[in-house]
Amino acid sequence: MNGIVNEFACMIISAVAYVCIVATTPLRKSRVLKRAGACCLRVKRRSIKLTVAALACCCVVPLLAFHINFSVYVKIMLVGIGLLGAYMMLSLLATAACEGVYENGVIADGALILFSDIVHFKKPDQQSEVYGNHILEIETNAHGTKRVLYTDENERDAVLEKIYIMDKIKNQV
């Protein structure tokens, strides 16, 4: 009986956590846009089909965990993994329509990379077999190296040029 109560409590807590993550997504998006400032260059919006599919899987995994006879600890772990994945996918979905270069940083892959945090940015040395030559590597102080994928070389080069311009403006002030 105690196991059923623990399982039910875990289900309720995970459902509340999912609702909180979904409900705070617009607030997180507005916070990112507020910190980013005015838009200087928008990039072409990527397809969100894979992100939506991953979000659906993140919501299904914890539900399946409660229908399979796992221990409570494994169920808690699966719920945590689902919550983390849902948070990441919702961050990607929230900022997918507003990716680009802003006056305070670059919005890419669901996150804001501030110009003050950028140490170095460059085109990769070699052409990737999978993605071609559409990648921009951004090295940051706080989050290490981020690789941002753009639709083509022209878009990546336009972003690079805009970053150079914005970086020069920030350094002159």
Side-chain angles (χ1 to χ4, degrees):
M1 185 70 175
N2 193 20
I4 294 173
V5 171
N6 288 341
E7 188 173 316
F8 185 71
C10 190
M11 283 178 65
I12 296 299
I13 290 170
S14 67
V16 169
Y18 271 103
V19 168
C20 289
I21 288 173
V22 171
T24 60
T25 299
L27 297 172
R28 285 184 276 134
K29 178 183 178 179
S30 65
R31 182 174 175 252
V32 166
L33 288 174
K34 187 176 183 180
R35 287 181 61 203
C39 182
C40 300
L41 175 70
R42 293 258 174 165
V43 297
K44 188 176 179 183
R45 185 175 179 174
R46 289 185 282 168
S47 175
I48 59 170
K49 293 176 186 175
L50 187 60
T51 307
V52 171
L55 178 62
C57 290
C58 291
C59 295
V60 169
V61 166
L63 292 176
L64 290 177
F66 291 112
H67 291 291
I68 299 173
N69 193 16
F70 290 128
S71 70
V72 174
Y73 301 111
V74 173
K75 289 179 183 182
I76 290 172
M77 182 184 66
L78 288 173
V79 166
I81 290 168
L83 286 170
L84 180 61
Y87 178 83
M88 292 168 51
M89 294 304 109
L90 283 170
S91 294
L92 282 171
L93 286 174
T95 60
C98 52
E99 288 188 350
V101 180
Y102 289 76
E103 66 181 345
N104 296 327
V106 178
I107 295 179
D109 295 334
L112 171 64
I113 306 167
L114 294 172
F115 289 134
S116 60
D117 190 36
I118 294 176
V119 176
H120 182 69
F121 45 89
K122 66 173 185 159
K123 299 176 189 178
D125 297 333
Q126 298 175 327
Q127 181 171 339
S128 170
E129 292 179 19
V130 177
Y131 299 116
N133 203 11
H134 311 153
I135 298 174
L136 175 62
E137 292 181 359
I138 302 174
E139 187 179 331
T140 64
N141 286 323
H143 304 291
T145 302
K146 292 193 173 258
R147 288 172 185 84
V148 182
L149 178 66
Y150 292 102
T151 55
D152 58 13
E153 288 182 57
N154 295 331
E155 186 176 69
R156 185 211 49 211
D157 292 341
V159 168
L160 251 178
E161 182 180 327
K162 202 57 143 171
I163 290 174
Y164 281 128
I165 292 170
M166 297 305 294
D167 192 41
K168 286 181 184 179
I169 291 171
K170 294 289 180 184
N171 288 333
Q172 289 177 355
V173 175

